[in-house]
Amino acid sequence: MPHVVVVTFALVASHVVTAIDHKPKSTTRLQRLANVEANRRGSLLVDHYDEDWSRLWWVRIDGAASVHHGDGIHESAIAALVAKYTQYSDRAPEGPVIAISQDHITSWESTP
């Protein structure tokens, strides 16, 4: 069953990555990490909303997923997230990283 979570993300080589950061969570045993470790698959949906509906679009990336901590993928992911989000410049994410390979990309836009 899909588990939908709003995340920050970045692209690193052929992976889309997200990290567990310091924002408050109800537990450190996050279901999204357990799901990735059990299923080894993941998806990321990015959408753009605009009051002008002719400017709507979305992109979905599906692929093999894995959890990383303390390895090269983790380090590259954290660097990419810090570079993309100024909110991380004072405090970079310290938790595990989820990496999803870009096996299949689906997209839609309201006007081609």
Side-chain angles (χ1 to χ4, degrees), residues 23-88:
K23 290 189 299 292
K25 319 261 187 304
S26 59
T27 179
T28 57
R29 296 177 47 137
L30 298 177
Q31 188 63 48
R32 68 188 102 162
L33 296 172
N35 288 349
V36 168
E37 290 176 346
N39 299 320
R40 301 290 181 194
R41 300 289 301 164
S43 295
L44 177 79
L45 178 68
V46 180
D47 72 330
H48 172 77
Y49 177 79
D50 195 292
E51 291 293 327
D52 176 356
W53 283 13
S54 70
R55 299 176 62 176
L56 303 177
W57 60 263
W58 59 261
V59 175
R60 189 181 82 207
I61 298 170
D62 300 303
S66 52
V67 177
H68 299 269
H69 199 278
D71 62 10
I73 292 175
H74 184 264
E75 291 174 12
S76 297
I78 298 301
L81 289 163
V82 169
K84 183 176 179 184
Y85 297 99
T86 57
Q87 296 88 336
Y88 287 148

